Amino acid sequence: TSRARADAGLADRPLDLGPVVDEDAVERGRALPLPDAVAYATRARGPRRRPDTGWASLTPTERSVVDLAVQGLSNPEIGERLFMSRGTVKTHLAHVYAKLQVANRTELAALPRD
């Protein structure tokens, strides 16, 4: 990359990475109620001592995705609420479907919760 920068006449200039902080995300974070902010900050952390299948196997984030999905929210709407991309929501739902052995949201909504 340094040769490419030199060839382009950029070797003597500092590399501009653009804005480092997403100000929109910062503002959305500031607007979160404290329990939601704590849930966001702590998701995907901690020990992984869950079974492989069943409701107990779901991560806290997967449970949040399920709750919103069975309320009828779309993947983009869920993503907006949970600060993740629609693709990440889709991945979480795929994991949930596999863990609970269901094929879609309709079957998911019909399952009794543990």
Side-chain angles (χ1 to χ4, degrees), residues 60-73:
T61 302
E62 289 168 344
R63 284 188 174 265
S64 295
V65 169
V66 167
D67 291 341
L68 296 172
V70 299
Q71 290 176 31
L73 275 68

Side-chain angles (χ1 to χ4, degrees), residues 30-50:
R30 285 188 181 127
L32 283 176
L34 183 59
D36 293 347
V38 170
Y40 176 77
T42 59
R43 78 175 182 215
R45 291 167 179 79
R48 304 281 188 227
R49 298 188 188 130
R50 289 182 283 278

Side-chain angles (χ1 to χ4, degrees), residues 78-95:
I78 294 169
E80 187 175 314
R81 294 252 185 118
L82 298 179
F83 299 99
M84 62 180 68
S85 71
R86 79 186 328 169
T88 301
V89 173
K90 184 177 177 181
T91 299
H92 281 303
L93 284 171
H95 293 164

